[in-house]
Amino acid sequence: MDILSFIWSPSTLNELIAGSFGGAAQVIIGQPLDTIKTRAQIAPPGMFKGPMDILVQTVRKEGVLALYKGMASPLIGIAGVNSLLFTSYAVSRRIVSPYPELSLKEIAAAGAMAGAANSVLASPVELFKIRMQGQYGSATDKRLSVVFKDMWRTYGFRKGVMRGFWVTVAREIPAYAGFYTGYEFVKQRFKQHYGPQLPVWSLLASGSCGGLCYWLACYPIDVIKSRVQLAESPPASGGSFYMRREFQAVLKESGWRGLFKGLSPSLLRSIPAAAATFGAFEFTREFLLKTTGV
């Protein structure tokens, strides 16, 4: 079997399609709390008192639709990002083990590999989402197309569009190791009790657990990523140096608590958003399996 046949199995297209549906469900349901999370991480010190204050001020000053700022970026790239994620995970499972049933360690390894691959598309999508969410309803706010043109024109591809790539990689690897491990662990426990045909609520509960594990695994690196991608200018150096420098800046500004800004809305968001992600993915994949037979 050549490498192309190994990667592109008959079910790969189903994974791609189901992944895009799962990602779209995640964005639509989770975007308001994601906006609150991002603003908690990037707002100037003293601008907000906490997550609830962010919610109240955002709705009062900018309207309810402001909670969906930056949604165009993940929705535009959602088919690619989530299709890549779920397909990479399926391929990674086959690389880690030829057997369909994996141990939790093997699931974590496959999730980490999928997260690394996912960073290629997730990094620019996250960057433009964060830069849209970092606008607070002033007359100088820019549309997504303008933000993209400015970043490309001023800084180019590497330092503009792909800014924060390595910190995104550093986030995605542990995040998706936790994401899939949490999901599969709870799903396996439900299967022991209910058998292979799980009720809908158990799939949603498994997805929610995966989402909680995602955020617990990627903090505080997610705070560092948001700050790097929102900064006016790109990091002066690459690799781990700029991450360490940003880490120290957060400590200086806000102490240890600053490293966990936005965690509470992230955890709250993950319950419905991750449930919707896995629910939409599993249902779409099952429908395609029955329709196509692969």
Side-chain angles (χ1 to χ4, degrees), residues 10-196:
S11 63
T12 302
L13 183 59
N14 289 354
E15 302 280 349
L16 288 166
I17 297 171
S20 65
F21 275 87
Q26 176 189 357
V27 173
I28 292 169
I29 291 175
Q31 186 67 14
L33 282 168
D34 185 76
T35 298
I36 294 172
K37 180 268 293 186
T38 302
R39 288 188 167 187
Q41 294 175 338
I42 64 177
M47 185 173 184
F48 300 111
K49 297 176 182 178
M52 282 303 299
D53 188 44
I54 296 173
L55 173 62
V56 171
Q57 286 200 45
T58 298
V59 173
R60 186 172 60 208
K61 296 179 180 178
E62 304 171 58
V64 174
L65 292 180
L67 295 171
Y68 288 88
K69 275 189 174 180
M71 192 172 78
S73 175
L75 273 181
I76 289 172
I78 204 68
V81 170
N82 286 275
S83 295
L84 175 61
L85 172 66
F86 281 99
T87 304
S88 296
Y89 178 64
V91 172
S92 297
R93 285 178 63 102
R94 295 197 291 271
I95 293 173
V96 169
S97 173
Y99 304 105
E101 297 297 326
L102 273 61
S103 68
L104 290 180
K105 289 182 180 179
E106 291 170 333
I107 290 169
M113 293 165 63
N118 187 58
S119 303
V120 175
L121 293 181
S123 180
V125 167
E126 283 276 307
L127 178 136
F128 290 112
K129 174 180 70 69
I130 287 169
R131 295 188 79 85
M132 292 298 293
Q133 291 170 330
Q135 300 182 129
Y136 299 98
S138 70
T140 58
D141 282 3
K142 302 174 182 177
R143 291 176 298 174
L144 176 61
S145 59
V146 177
V147 174
F148 176 83
K149 289 176 183 177
D150 286 350
M151 291 294 289
W152 180 273
R153 186 183 303 114
T154 307
Y155 299 108
F157 179 74
R158 187 171 67 87
K159 293 187 177 182
V161 175
M162 295 301 293
R163 181 185 303 176
F165 171 73
W166 289 113
V167 71
T168 302
V169 173
R171 185 193 76 161
E172 299 289 81
I173 289 175
Y176 282 110
F179 187 62
Y180 283 108
T181 303
Y183 172 67
E184 295 288 355
F185 173 78
V186 177
K187 187 179 175 182
Q188 287 173 12
R189 292 300 179 272
F190 280 129
K191 281 185 175 181
Q192 291 174 4
H193 186 75
Y194 293 103

Side-chain angles (χ1 to χ4, degrees), residues 33 208 211-213 215-216 262-272:
L33 282 168
S208 295
L212 291 170
C213 292
W215 289 108
L216 291 172
L263 179 58
S264 56
S266 295
L267 293 175
L268 183 61
R269 167 187 179 269
S270 70
I271 296 173

Side-chain angles (χ1 to χ4, degrees), residues 202-215:
S202 67
L203 281 175
L204 300 179
S206 301
S208 295
C209 182
L212 291 170
C213 292
Y214 174 100
W215 289 108

